[in-house]
Short mmCIF file of all heavy atoms in Angstrom, two decimals:
data_model
loop_
_atom_site.label_atom_id
_atom_site.label_comp_id
_atom_site.label_asym_id
_atom_site.label_seq_id
_atom_site.Cartn_x
_atom_site.Cartn_y
_atom_site.Cartn_z
N ARG R 1 21.52 -9.14 -22.72
CA ARG R 1 20.77 -10.38 -22.85
C ARG R 1 20.67 -11.04 -21.48
O ARG R 1 21.64 -11.11 -20.75
CB ARG R 1 21.45 -11.30 -23.85
CG ARG R 1 20.70 -12.56 -24.05
CD ARG R 1 21.26 -13.38 -25.16
NE ARG R 1 20.56 -14.63 -25.13
CZ ARG R 1 21.01 -15.76 -25.53
NH1 ARG R 1 22.21 -15.83 -26.03
NH2 ARG R 1 20.31 -16.84 -25.45
N ARG R 2 19.51 -11.56 -21.18
CA ARG R 2 19.27 -12.22 -19.90
C ARG R 2 19.52 -13.72 -20.04
O ARG R 2 19.00 -14.36 -20.94
CB ARG R 2 17.82 -11.97 -19.49
CG ARG R 2 17.50 -12.40 -18.09
CD ARG R 2 16.10 -12.00 -17.74
NE ARG R 2 16.05 -10.57 -17.60
CZ ARG R 2 15.41 -9.94 -16.62
NH1 ARG R 2 14.72 -10.61 -15.76
NH2 ARG R 2 15.41 -8.65 -16.55
N ARG R 4 19.22 -17.64 -18.69
CA ARG R 4 18.27 -18.46 -17.93
C ARG R 4 19.06 -19.46 -17.10
O ARG R 4 19.96 -20.13 -17.59
CB ARG R 4 17.35 -19.19 -18.88
CG ARG R 4 16.33 -20.05 -18.14
CD ARG R 4 15.39 -20.68 -19.07
NE ARG R 4 14.62 -19.61 -19.69
CZ ARG R 4 13.50 -19.81 -20.34
NH1 ARG R 4 13.01 -21.00 -20.46
NH2 ARG R 4 12.85 -18.80 -20.87
N PRO R 14 17.09 -20.93 -0.76
CA PRO R 14 18.39 -20.31 -0.48
C PRO R 14 19.34 -20.29 -1.69
O PRO R 14 20.04 -19.30 -1.91
CB PRO R 14 18.97 -21.12 0.67
CG PRO R 14 18.26 -22.43 0.63
CD PRO R 14 16.89 -22.12 0.08
N LEU R 15 19.32 -21.34 -2.50
CA LEU R 15 20.20 -21.36 -3.67
C LEU R 15 19.73 -20.37 -4.73
O LEU R 15 20.54 -19.75 -5.42
CB LEU R 15 20.29 -22.77 -4.25
CG LEU R 15 21.31 -22.97 -5.36
CD1 LEU R 15 22.70 -22.56 -4.91
CD2 LEU R 15 21.32 -24.43 -5.80
N LEU R 20 20.84 -15.25 -7.54
CA LEU R 20 20.50 -13.87 -7.88
C LEU R 20 21.55 -12.89 -7.35
O LEU R 20 21.96 -11.96 -8.06
CB LEU R 20 19.12 -13.51 -7.33
CG LEU R 20 17.94 -14.25 -7.95
CD1 LEU R 20 16.67 -13.98 -7.15
CD2 LEU R 20 17.77 -13.88 -9.41
N ALA R 21 22.02 -13.12 -6.13
CA ALA R 21 23.04 -12.25 -5.55
C ALA R 21 24.35 -12.33 -6.32
O ALA R 21 25.01 -11.32 -6.58
CB ALA R 21 23.27 -12.60 -4.07
N ALA R 25 26.21 -9.33 -8.34
CA ALA R 25 27.60 -8.97 -8.03
C ALA R 25 28.49 -9.03 -9.27
O ALA R 25 29.42 -8.24 -9.41
CB ALA R 25 28.15 -9.90 -6.95
N HIS R 28 25.59 -9.58 -14.19
CA HIS R 28 24.86 -10.35 -15.20
C HIS R 28 23.37 -10.27 -14.93
O HIS R 28 22.93 -10.21 -13.78
CB HIS R 28 25.28 -11.83 -15.18
CG HIS R 28 26.69 -12.05 -15.61
ND1 HIS R 28 27.08 -11.95 -16.92
CD2 HIS R 28 27.79 -12.35 -14.90
CE1 HIS R 28 28.38 -12.18 -17.01
NE2 HIS R 28 28.84 -12.43 -15.79
N ARG R 29 22.59 -10.30 -15.99
CA ARG R 29 21.14 -10.36 -15.88
C ARG R 29 20.73 -11.82 -16.00
O ARG R 29 21.12 -12.49 -16.96
CB ARG R 29 20.49 -9.55 -16.98
CG ARG R 29 20.75 -8.06 -16.83
CD ARG R 29 20.12 -7.27 -17.94
NE ARG R 29 18.76 -7.74 -18.17
CZ ARG R 29 18.02 -7.36 -19.19
NH1 ARG R 29 18.48 -6.54 -20.08
NH2 ARG R 29 16.79 -7.81 -19.33
N VAL R 33 14.64 -20.24 -13.09
CA VAL R 33 13.51 -21.16 -13.05
C VAL R 33 13.77 -22.10 -11.88
O VAL R 33 14.72 -22.88 -11.90
CB VAL R 33 13.37 -21.95 -14.37
CG1 VAL R 33 12.20 -22.92 -14.28
CG2 VAL R 33 13.20 -21.00 -15.54
N LEU R 45 8.34 -20.79 -2.02
CA LEU R 45 8.96 -20.17 -3.20
C LEU R 45 8.02 -19.17 -3.85
O LEU R 45 8.45 -18.08 -4.25
CB LEU R 45 9.36 -21.25 -4.21
CG LEU R 45 10.49 -22.19 -3.80
CD1 LEU R 45 10.59 -23.35 -4.79
CD2 LEU R 45 11.82 -21.45 -3.71
N LEU R 48 7.97 -16.03 -1.79
CA LEU R 48 9.19 -15.25 -2.00
C LEU R 48 9.15 -14.53 -3.35
O LEU R 48 9.51 -13.35 -3.45
CB LEU R 48 10.43 -16.15 -1.92
CG LEU R 48 10.81 -16.63 -0.53
CD1 LEU R 48 11.85 -17.74 -0.62
CD2 LEU R 48 11.35 -15.47 0.30
N THR R 54 14.05 -8.64 -4.52
CA THR R 54 15.14 -9.14 -5.37
C THR R 54 14.69 -10.28 -6.28
O THR R 54 15.37 -10.59 -7.24
CB THR R 54 16.33 -9.62 -4.52
OG1 THR R 54 15.88 -10.63 -3.61
CG2 THR R 54 16.96 -8.48 -3.76
N ALA R 60 10.79 -17.74 -11.81
CA ALA R 60 9.57 -18.50 -12.10
C ALA R 60 9.64 -19.77 -11.28
O ALA R 60 10.68 -20.42 -11.22
CB ALA R 60 9.48 -18.83 -13.58
N VAL R 61 8.54 -20.11 -10.63
CA VAL R 61 8.48 -21.32 -9.81
C VAL R 61 7.70 -22.38 -10.57
O VAL R 61 6.59 -22.13 -11.05
CB VAL R 61 7.80 -21.02 -8.45
CG1 VAL R 61 7.70 -22.28 -7.61
CG2 VAL R 61 8.56 -19.92 -7.71
N VAL R 62 8.31 -23.57 -10.68
CA VAL R 62 7.67 -24.69 -11.36
C VAL R 62 7.49 -25.82 -10.35
O VAL R 62 8.47 -26.27 -9.75
CB VAL R 62 8.52 -25.18 -12.55
CG1 VAL R 62 7.89 -26.39 -13.21
CG2 VAL R 62 8.73 -24.06 -13.55
N GLU R 70 10.39 -32.29 -19.14
CA GLU R 70 11.09 -32.00 -20.39
C GLU R 70 11.70 -30.61 -20.25
O GLU R 70 11.01 -29.66 -19.91
CB GLU R 70 10.09 -32.02 -21.54
CG GLU R 70 10.71 -31.96 -22.89
CD GLU R 70 11.46 -33.23 -23.25
OE1 GLU R 70 11.07 -34.33 -22.81
OE2 GLU R 70 12.45 -33.12 -23.99
N PRO R 72 12.93 -26.89 -21.02
CA PRO R 72 12.45 -25.92 -22.00
C PRO R 72 13.48 -25.70 -23.09
O PRO R 72 14.67 -25.92 -22.89
CB PRO R 72 12.25 -24.65 -21.17
CG PRO R 72 13.13 -24.83 -19.99
CD PRO R 72 13.21 -26.30 -19.73
N GLU R 76 13.65 -20.30 -26.02
CA GLU R 76 12.55 -19.61 -25.35
C GLU R 76 13.11 -18.49 -24.49
O GLU R 76 14.01 -18.70 -23.69
CB GLU R 76 11.76 -20.57 -24.47
CG GLU R 76 10.98 -21.60 -25.23
CD GLU R 76 10.25 -22.56 -24.31
OE1 GLU R 76 9.99 -22.19 -23.16
OE2 GLU R 76 9.96 -23.67 -24.76
#
Side-chain angles (χ1 to χ4, degrees):
R1 182 172 173 208
R2 190 175 289 224
R4 181 176 295 196
L15 187 56
L20 294 171
H28 293 286
R29 293 179 45 189
V33 178
L45 292 169
L48 287 168
T54 57
V61 179
V62 177
E70 189 69 32
E76 291 178 23

